[in-house]
């Protein structure tokens, strides 16, 4: 919390007023990055239409997603490689991005069949 208050140039009591401990602060950070990841996944998916070529859609989606990861590696590292303890604490909020990603992949697979 000391490092956060120093980096944000805020007095520690102000940081503790917003986040009463490390766990709420970390959960807020993960939630913020999760929202960014969902937005990146949404933006990465090209539009679907009846004449769309599945291979083109797949390449465009993968390219867009990898560009997002390259532009924001720390965010993706936090979401993909976070410590087990944090992952367990965030398990309830982590299901939504996974379900979203699976739904998008299923949608892409339907276009390809």
């Amino acid at each position: 919390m000391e490092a956060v208050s120093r980096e944000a140039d805020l007095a520690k009591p102000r940081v503790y007023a917003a986040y009463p401990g490390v766990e709420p602060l970390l959960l807020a950070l993960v939630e913020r990055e999760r929202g960014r990841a969902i937005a990146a996944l949404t933006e990465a998916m090209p539009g679907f239409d009846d004449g769309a070529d599945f291979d083109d859609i797949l390449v465009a989606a993968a390219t867009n997603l990898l560009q997002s990861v390259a532009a924001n590696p720390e965010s993706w590292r936090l979401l993909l490689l976070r410590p087990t303890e944090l992952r367990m604490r965030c398990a309830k909020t982590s299901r939504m991005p996974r379900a979203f990603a699976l739904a998008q992949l299923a949608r892409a697979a339907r276009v390809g069949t």
Side-chain angles (χ1 to χ4, degrees), residues 27-91:
L27 291 175
L29 172 66
V30 169
E31 184 62 27
R32 182 190 72 191
E33 296 308 317
R34 184 180 71 87
R36 289 178 179 175
I38 289 172
L41 287 171
T42 301
E43 291 173 20
M45 292 304 293
F48 295 101
D49 59 39
D50 292 335
D53 180 66
F54 178 72
D55 291 342
D56 292 342
I57 290 172
L58 190 59
V59 168
T63 300
N64 294 344
L65 184 57
L66 290 174
Q67 287 173 343
S68 175
V69 171
N72 303 294
E74 290 81 16
S75 295
W76 288 96
R77 189 174 295 116
L78 171 71
L79 294 170
L80 298 174
L81 301 175
R82 62 183 186 244
T84 304
E85 180 181 335
L86 183 59
R87 186 176 303 135
M88 288 172 52
R89 290 180 181 175
C90 299

